[in-house]
Amino acid sequence: MVSEALTPERILEATEEVLRRYGPSKATVVDVARALGVSHGSVYRHFRTKAALREAVTQRWLDRTSELLAPLTTERGPAEERLDRWLKTLFEAKRRKAGDDPELFATYTVLTGDMSAVVDGHIDDLVGQLARIIEDGRREGVFVSESIGFPSEAARAVFHATGRFHDPAYAAEWSRPGIEDDFASVRELVLRGLRA
Amino acid sequence: MVSEALTPERILEATEEVLRRYGPSKATVVDVARALGVSHGSVYRHFRTKAALREAVTQRWLDRTSELLAPLTTERGPAEERLDRWLKTLFEAKRRKAGDDPELFATYTVLTGDMSAVVDGHIDDLVGQLARIIEDGRREGVFVSESIGFPSEAARAVFHATGRFHDPAYAAEWSRPGIEDDFASVRELVLRGLRA
DNA sequence: CGGATGACAGATATTGAAATCTGTCATCCG
DNA sequence: CGGATGACAGATTTCAATATCTGTCATCCG
């Protein structure tokens, strides 16, 4: 055979490339097939619909962020510091994605807008990571244990309170001057709120 | 004369009505003039451009919220309680607007998207109100005075941390179950963060 | 036989000609 | 004379015809 076997992974790679080039409204399944040198029928063998293909490629994109952050939840060290670093790393990763490849970032922002289920799952992942760090902090005694419910509730609160610094809806603000100070203030406020 | 004199206020009233009916993309200056029974040239006597008309009507809409909240900043009583009430009142007002007249709310959400200057001014208004309450709290000794800078910085942090519960970008989430609990968690986190 | 193909029907998007809108201004009216 | 009008030019939007795309499936090929 002249090329590698047609796998879901290769299709997703090509899909991302086509999305980057044409954007979410003009990228078609035919384009993806053309990029791979196959007929569009072959793509439909691996993904039932165009929507399923888009979901898979979006999932993959979101998972890359989860995987980047996962190590920070199992590290040793003071929970407070790890939480702060987790938040900074998330913001830095998002901002880099938005800044380095604005077309692709805008594309995925549009795609996620049509996929609340995928996004909710991703948020659950991230909130779960936060909850683990907060739980460590409670065990260490540095984070409060009454007053704010389960770690998962506190984690949701932290995630929502810092939304401005990771939610794509705010991407335009991430390059404004003063955003670093704003982020530092919110982190300070949130960490103070968690402290015992 | 068969009708009242043509004033900016009457034009803004008609503009809002036309926006409600036709939405931001289809509402035209001609429609506004028609609603008032005048020629569109007369509208241009009071507003230099369509953009200026839209800015004015949006400003008016945002100001209604500022005016609703202003009384809470001058009331007497514990600052902590007033801050909590201010946040709840803001959320309740936004949610009511979004729920009672979704068309108009969606319309204004689109309009504000093209008017960062007007929006920034509105945010400055609201942050200023928050700063006044926080300053009262510091004077009372219930809010922390070091560690988070000026009241205006703390106020910005509080405003951003609660964005999910007043930013129109999140309007779709305001009717989800559990939003009340999420809001209560974030308020608790933020208030704990401010406490001395 | 398992996987790839491309013709096809119905749904969606593109295009360019016609209609409407924005903003100006000479003219009109009370 | 101050304010309202509507004709007008250029910009923008609409609409319907045309082209492309999605998803299926009978057929083909190694």
Side-chain angles (χ1 to χ4, degrees), chain B:
Chain B
M1 70 186 65
V2 69
S3 64
E4 291 298 305
L6 190 59
T7 61
E9 182 55 29
R10 281 191 63 220
I11 293 173
L12 291 177
E13 198 60 58
T15 301
E16 186 166 286
E17 183 52 30
V18 166
L19 280 168
R20 192 201 316 277
R21 257 226 275 289
Y22 300 112
S25 62
K26 292 211 263 178
T28 72
V29 176
V30 171
D31 289 329
V32 173
R34 203 184 352 258
L36 289 162
V38 301
S39 75
H40 72 282
S42 299
V43 173
Y44 278 100
R45 173 161 305 279
H46 296 271
F47 295 93
R48 261 208 322 274
T49 63
K50 183 186 185 181
L53 175 58
R54 289 181 161 208
E55 262 188 32
V57 78
T58 303
Q59 182 81 252
R60 178 169 167 271
W61 189 67
L62 295 174
D63 285 349
R64 271 185 236 145
T65 296
S66 304
E67 282 156 22
L68 171 75
L69 292 165
L72 300 187
T73 69
T74 54
E75 261 180 13
R76 29 183 77 241
E80 218 173 319
E81 198 185 301
R82 283 197 290 141
L83 183 54
D84 198 57
R85 194 138 39 82
W86 190 95
L87 291 170
K88 278 151 93 173
T89 306
L90 176 57
F91 179 46
E92 204 35 63
K94 291 284 181 123
R95 184 159 66 165
R96 194 157 26 70
K97 277 189 182 182
D100 289 356
D101 199 338
E103 322 277 316
L104 189 62
F105 189 84
T107 290
Y108 277 119
T109 301
V110 170
L111 290 184
T112 53
D114 300 331
M115 294 179 198
S116 44
V118 171
V119 171
D120 286 354
H122 177 60
I123 290 175
D124 285 350
D125 283 353
L126 295 183
V127 169
Q129 293 191 9
L130 272 175
R132 254 168 282 143
I133 299 178
I134 290 172
E135 199 159 8
D136 287 350
R138 290 189 177 184
R139 227 170 298 145
E140 291 170 20
V142 295
F143 286 157
V144 73
S145 292
E146 8 49 73
S147 168
I148 299 181
F150 291 110
S152 62
E153 286 172 51
R156 277 183 74 79
V158 171
F159 189 77
H160 290 149
T162 53
R164 186 184 162 85
F165 309 99
H166 50 68
D167 192 315
Y170 289 102
E173 322 240 317
W174 297 342
S175 51
R176 283 194 182 189
I179 188 77
E180 286 293 350
D181 292 342
D182 285 348
F183 187 34
S185 296
V186 169
R187 275 186 348 259
E188 179 63 31
L189 183 69
V190 162
L191 283 171
R192 279 187 52 85
L194 285 175
R195 278 204 272 271

Side-chain angles (χ1 to χ4, degrees), chain A residues 142-144 146-148 154 158 186-196, chain B residues 148 188-195:
Chain A
V142 296
F143 286 157
V144 73
E146 7 50 72
S147 168
I148 298 181
V158 170
V186 169
R187 273 183 353 254
E188 180 62 33
L189 182 69
V190 162
L191 282 172
R192 279 187 52 85
L194 285 175
R195 277 204 272 272
Chain B
I148 299 181
E188 179 63 31
L189 183 69
V190 162
L191 283 171
R192 279 187 52 85
L194 285 175
R195 278 204 272 271

Side-chain angles (χ1 to χ4, degrees), chain A residues 8 15 28 33 38 41 67 69 111-112 118-120 123 158 167-168 190 194:
Chain A
T15 302
T28 71
V38 300
E67 282 156 22
L69 292 166
L111 290 184
T112 52
V118 172
V119 171
D120 286 355
I123 290 175
V158 170
D167 192 315
V190 162
L194 285 175

